[in-house]
Amino acid sequence: MTNPLLADWTTPFGLPPFADMSDDDFAPGFEASLTQARAELAEIIENPEPPTFENTIDALELMGEAMHKVLSPFYTLVGVDSNPAREALQREFSPKLAAWGSEVSMNPELFARVDALWQDREKLKLTPEQMRVLELTRRGLVRAGAQLDGFAFDRLKQVKERLAVLGTQFTQNLLADERAWYMELDPEDLEGLPDFVLATAKAAAEEKGAEGHVVTLSRSLIVPFLQFSARRDLRERAYEAWTSRGANGGETDNRSIAAEILALREERAHLLGYDDFATYKLETEMAKTPDAVRKLLMEVWEPAKAQADLDAQSLAAMMNNDGVNDALEPWDWRYYSEKRRAEEHDLDEAELKPYLQLDRMIEAAFDCATRLFGLEFKALDVPLHHPDARAWEVTRKGEHIAVFIGDYFARGGKRSGAWCSALRSQQKLRGDIRPHVINVCNFAKPAKGSPALLSYDDARTLFHEFGHALHQMLSNVTYESISGTSVARDFVELPSQLFEHWLEVPEVLQKYATHAETGEPMPADMLQRMLDAANYDQGFATVEYVASAMVDIEFHSGDAPEDPMTMQAEILEGMGMPPAIRMRHATPHFAHVFAGDGYSSAYYSYMWSEVMDADAFAAFEEAGGAFDASTARKLEDHILSVGGLREADELYTEFRGRLPGVEALLKGRGLDKVA
């Protein structure tokens, strides 16, 4: 029987045939596709003809299509619907993929061909895009170690393979801890919980096979529990479980794994001739140096900490008025902050939430994309990776642009958090290949027959991830290696964070924030109060984020710590971390940094991009409004459609005419007037 992963896909739009594939198909499919990729590599490096752009760079770009067809659906499933069989395959594939990556990126024969083209680049009559791809290809090979030899060459291969194994183990340990823990709630434990939290807790109990209500480590459940539960003892128990993921001892403990990852990254940097991993990693980012990252973070830290200290005093006073004669603790912050928000902004989350329906927020995001970029969305009835997922065809003036897939609900086998990825990226080298883009979130799944309701933060997450999707869907380049989100890490968050601003546009909410039962629009005064409170508690949010970003950059600067947990504590103490706030991602569950290299030394990138997103949205406002057509065209032409065609600072300057300062960020977070 033919392996469906290796056959020609006759599915609508060439989507992966999820309905036809099984877990048993992945291992043989991977081995067959790896063999084919090796043959394709051999054809490139053994070509007796002198290197040309076509027989080397084009061939390299086209290499590995069969492997992508196997691994794209596999890693999608690992992220959104994992099981023991898939996790075992992931552990098997990781070192093999790392070894294959080294076979390509550290191949001296391949580097010789690419370098010969680079040396003769002025004679080759390349297009600007071809010149950029050649530059990035050569740079990537150099940074991967293609110029090394002897011990350094062999050792770097070993380091990369070990890092791949450890990253997989870190991820699976975290998922295991998240999946295993839950807290059953007796009737007397439900005090203070509004109906929407009770509904979510009941649905979670059904998934766990338990009676009544439970709290899990899903963010969509544990955060509202911490906001509303009147039981301080239960808040403490839930909070400590949430923040102890990956640090519970036993087989799923990530602390020693983090230490080994940091040591190996340091060794990798040294083998490549860099002082430390942060210096190596930031060389190709907008920030360029660790000192530039520290400068940005500290410019934001000081006003954020000042605001958080003021807020802590207010929350502690509220707690003491409740008769709790104790210090304000991290499990108290969200509870009293929610009470304070209700008092100061007259906002009741339970009253607000019925107006933020998932389906209506999806419609809102689509409508903004239509008004800005002329995109239209039509629901598709196609087999997908999970019954919860749904798909839309994206068109513009009748032309097919992309397939967009949304997978919005939390479940036991899904990795926590939210992300955007491409099952297939845009390119033109192999033909007019249009992308398949997926947004993954972890919103609370409603009871059958009930609408899914979001918090305002959930709605912001939906818009954020859809901003990433637009970056993928509007890509219009020839080479896949620079398409879509293939940009500097501290630039990739600009489109996503920029798109969040359209959720704050009153006319968008006036149309789409409608009550789940009555269909009535959100009352004007409530809408205004919600927008006025959008920056509420930014001292807390900024402090917990900057603390994580600073720990990340310091972990990778200088010598790797023998005990990351001790160093984490020292960094936070040196910053003057408020005692009632903890870093957003403690080391043992800091998946951004330890599940792979993506955000290592680069967790700061959300804030780096935020400096630009506040300034970029101001361009729309200065031009006449959030939907100004000429500004939207400039955004698409200079940022969304061109991927990594040029360096990120050049792209932004082409759009805006200049680079921004931190002032817009502080103003956007309401921290510009803090003493």
Side-chain angles (χ1 to χ4, degrees), residues 52-55 57-58 61 114 117-118 121 124-138 429 477-479 481-482 644-645:
T52 65
F53 195 89
E54 291 73 19
N55 71 20
I57 302 300
D58 280 356
E61 288 272 334
V114 172
L117 293 173
W118 179 250
R121 60 190 180 279
L124 299 180
K125 298 180 179 179
L126 302 178
T127 67
E129 184 174 345
Q130 288 174 323
M131 186 68 81
R132 176 65 169 169
V133 171
L134 175 59
E135 175 193 4
L136 293 178
T137 301
R138 184 184 183 279
L429 189 61
V477 297
T478 299
Y479 291 91
S481 62
I482 61 167
L645 185 59

Side-chain angles (χ1 to χ4, degrees), residues 232 316 319-320 324-329 332:
R232 191 176 190 233
M319 187 176 75
N320 292 337
V324 181
N325 296 314
D326 197 357
L328 184 74
E329 297 287 356
D332 298 317

Side-chain angles (χ1 to χ4, degrees), residues 115-274:
D115 191 51
L117 293 173
W118 179 250
Q119 301 307 325
D120 288 341
R121 60 190 180 279
E122 300 302 334
K123 305 174 185 176
L124 299 180
K125 298 180 179 179
L126 302 178
T127 67
E129 184 174 345
Q130 288 174 323
M131 186 68 81
R132 176 65 169 169
V133 171
L134 175 59
E135 175 193 4
L136 293 178
T137 301
R138 184 184 183 279
R139 185 175 80 180
L141 294 173
V142 170
R143 286 171 54 80
Q147 292 180 301
L148 298 180
D149 56 22
F151 169 80
F153 183 88
D154 294 336
R155 178 57 185 161
L156 185 56
K157 280 187 173 181
Q158 295 171 356
V159 167
K160 289 180 179 179
E161 289 180 38
R162 180 61 179 163
L163 282 169
V165 170
L166 292 171
T168 297
Q169 189 176 350
F170 188 98
T171 303
Q172 293 188 354
N173 287 349
L174 180 55
L175 180 59
D177 276 6
E178 291 172 346
R179 198 161 41 197
W181 188 92
Y182 64 92
M183 179 173 68
E184 295 188 37
L185 300 176
D186 294 327
E188 61 270 22
D189 300 334
L190 306 180
E191 181 185 354
L193 300 181
D195 288 344
F196 75 88
V197 179
L198 293 174
T200 303
K202 185 173 179 60
E206 292 172 358
E207 184 186 7
K208 295 294 184 183
E211 297 292 330
H213 303 80
V214 305
V215 176
T216 69
L217 298 183
S218 169
R219 188 178 187 91
S220 61
L221 176 51
I222 198 165
V223 167
F225 179 80
L226 292 170
Q227 287 176 305
F228 293 103
S229 175
R231 289 284 301 277
R232 191 176 190 233
D233 58 332
L234 297 182
R235 295 201 310 269
E236 179 181 4
R237 182 179 166 194
Y239 182 87
E240 292 290 11
W242 190 35
T243 56
S244 296
R245 291 168 293 158
N248 293 307
E251 295 182 354
T252 62
D253 198 295
N254 277 332
R255 286 171 288 193
S256 63
I257 294 175
E260 187 176 356
I261 287 173
L262 292 172
L264 290 172
R265 284 178 179 162
E266 179 189 15
E267 183 179 2
R268 177 182 175 184
H270 289 169
L271 290 168
L272 290 167
Y274 294 86

Side-chain angles (χ1 to χ4, degrees), residues 359-387:
D359 286 350
R360 295 294 279 159
M361 291 300 102
I362 294 171
E363 290 178 42
F366 287 176
D367 185 47
C368 290
T370 300
R371 296 178 66 181
L372 289 165
F373 309 113
L375 301 180
E376 297 179 344
F377 299 82
K378 179 183 177 181
L380 293 173
D381 183 13
V382 292
L384 297 170
H385 58 272
H386 192 276

Side-chain angles (χ1 to χ4, degrees), residues 293-303 546 550 575:
V293 172
R294 293 187 188 96
K295 181 177 182 296
L296 169 69
L297 294 177
M298 293 312 296
E299 284 180 341
V300 179
W301 173 259
E302 295 301 335
V546 173
M550 189 63 80
M575 294 173 69

Side-chain angles (χ1 to χ4, degrees), residues 12-24:
F13 306 100
L15 288 164
F18 287 107
D20 298 331
M21 65 180 70
S22 74
D23 290 346
D24 293 336

Side-chain angles (χ1 to χ4, degrees), residues 36 64-65 143 214 414 430 462 473 487 560 572 645 666:
Q36 181 175 335
E65 181 186 17
R143 286 171 54 80
V214 305
K414 183 189 273 191
R430 200 183 296 278
L462 186 148
M473 294 189 292
V487 298
L572 297 178
L645 185 59
L666 293 174

